[in-house]
Amino acid sequence: MKWKNILLVLALWVVAGACEKKEIPMFTTDDAGIYFQRVTSYIYGSTTENYGDSVAYSFVSAQATAKSVVLSATVRTMGKVADYDRPFKVVVDQEGTTAIEGKHYEVNLDTVVVPAGASTAYVRVRFFRTSDMMEKTIRLALRLEENEYFKCYFPEYKNTNAYSATGALIHGDVFAFSLSEMYTEPSYWNWFGGDYFGNWTPRKYVIVNMVCGLTPTDWSNAGYAGAKVSLGRFSFFAVAVQKYLQEQADAGTPELDSDGSYMQLAPSYSVDYSRYE
């Protein structure tokens, strides 16, 4: 019986020693960790936060004159804060990316650093508004890699800091941006717009909104008292758009429609593209 007790104590000591060794690399090492973390929501009056590993943006919500948008991926560190700038390594994850650099986005990944005295940094990406976003969603995925300053301890982690919550797993080393600009034909255009603007297309819709200073919300409210979009104003809008399209054509920079043809309005407001025929 005595030997059994001794063996039990020894076994517990070995297990405790093994657990202690396992914790040393994570909690007593001087190595610093790095991971992506976007706060998606929080509970007011508490410390509870929810996290995500992606962000979606639609140019539908942007002004018609907007040509680009800058979005950020938040990077956080674990470990001691340093009193000097620490570069970290980010690369484009090609398998998770459909966006084309120079066409859909631009980013400088060679100068990203965690500033001195900070535990947070941002990877800023400028995305360009391109016509193909009206037909499909484009995606850019960034991936963190280890370097001399940081290790990637969290390939995955729980999407909340609430201890009792189960939570879904999100990526700590990959962050994805999804961008699109997909529209549906407004009912008011379908009812009355054909006689002024011709057939509805996503690209023409954007041009009409840009020239006339309209928004999707204006179209949703069309026809109501005081609305910006009304049947009585369509002839004024069509003349303004026709003038813009003709100026572009005369300047040698004709506007193309969604199918690649020269953008045209209804016959009463047609644009002259004879110089290109």
Side-chain angles (χ1 to χ4, degrees):
M1 191 70 177
K2 181 178 179 181
W3 281 105
K4 288 183 178 180
N5 290 336
I6 293 174
L7 289 173
L8 179 59
V9 171
L10 287 173
L12 291 173
W13 179 80
V14 169
V15 171
C19 291
E20 183 180 358
K21 289 180 181 178
K22 186 176 181 180
E23 292 175 352
I24 286 175
M26 292 299 294
F27 299 105
T28 65
T29 179
D30 288 331
D31 290 341
I34 194 166
Y35 57 100
F36 287 116
Q37 187 176 86
R38 173 177 173 253
V39 177
T40 58
S41 63
Y42 63 91
I43 298 178
Y44 181 77
S46 77
T47 58
T48 301
E49 293 180 335
N50 295 313
Y51 309 121
D53 56 8
S54 63
V55 64
Y57 180 86
S58 174
F59 276 104
V60 169
S61 61
Q63 291 290 332
T65 54
K67 302 300 182 184
S68 65
V69 64
V70 175
L71 302 177
S72 300
T74 303
V75 172
R76 303 193 187 278
T77 66
M78 55 184 294
K80 298 178 180 178
V81 172
D83 59 0
Y84 51 87
D85 291 349
R86 290 176 292 174
F88 58 95
K89 186 175 182 181
V90 186
V91 299
V92 174
D93 187 280
Q94 297 296 340
E95 290 186 3
T97 296
T98 59
I100 300 172
E101 186 172 8
K103 176 183 178 181
H104 296 119
Y105 73 94
E106 65 178 15
V107 62
N108 187 350
L109 299 178
D110 297 326
T111 60
V112 289
V113 299
V114 177
S119 59
T120 301
Y122 303 92
V123 182
R124 292 181 172 84
V125 185
R126 180 174 295 278
F127 290 94
F128 302 110
R129 192 176 201 168
T130 55
S131 59
D132 55 347
M133 291 183 188
M134 298 181 188
E135 309 295 334
K136 62 183 180 181
T137 298
I138 65 100
R139 189 173 188 270
L140 170 66
L142 300 179
R143 178 163 44 85
L144 288 168
E145 293 187 348
E146 296 184 355
N147 66 359
E148 60 184 298
Y149 297 98
F150 298 103
K151 294 187 180 300
C152 298
Y153 287 120
F154 292 149
E156 291 182 327
Y157 65 97
K158 191 170 65 171
N159 70 342
T160 177
N161 65 352
Y163 180 78
S164 59
T166 303
L169 291 179
I170 60 174
H171 296 97
D173 58 354
V174 175
F175 191 89
F177 300 91
S178 297
L179 286 93
S180 64
E181 188 178 2
M182 297 184 186
Y183 300 96
T184 56
E185 182 179 4
S187 298
Y188 208 75
W189 184 313
N190 181 268
W191 297 336
F192 307 112
D195 292 335
Y196 300 88
F197 309 118
N199 293 332
W200 183 90
T201 67
R203 178 61 184 161
K204 189 186 296 182
Y205 179 64
V206 170
I207 293 297
V208 170
N209 287 351
M210 179 188 71
V211 174
C212 302
L214 304 176
T215 68
T217 301
D218 292 327
W219 284 97
S220 297
N221 297 328
Y224 291 102
K228 200 170 183 179
V229 175
S230 64
L231 181 58
R233 305 182 76 181
F234 269 11
S235 59
F236 168 77
F237 289 153
V239 169
V241 177
Q242 190 275 341
K243 180 181 178 182
Y244 168 80
L245 293 177
Q246 193 63 64
E247 288 175 348
Q248 294 299 108
D250 294 344
T253 55
E255 289 285 357
L256 301 182
D257 217 327
S258 298
D259 61 358
S261 63
Y262 298 122
M263 188 174 295
Q264 192 58 271
L265 303 177
S268 298
Y269 305 93
S270 63
V271 181
D272 180 11
Y273 291 108
S274 58
R275 65 177 294 186
Y276 299 99
E277 296 174 353

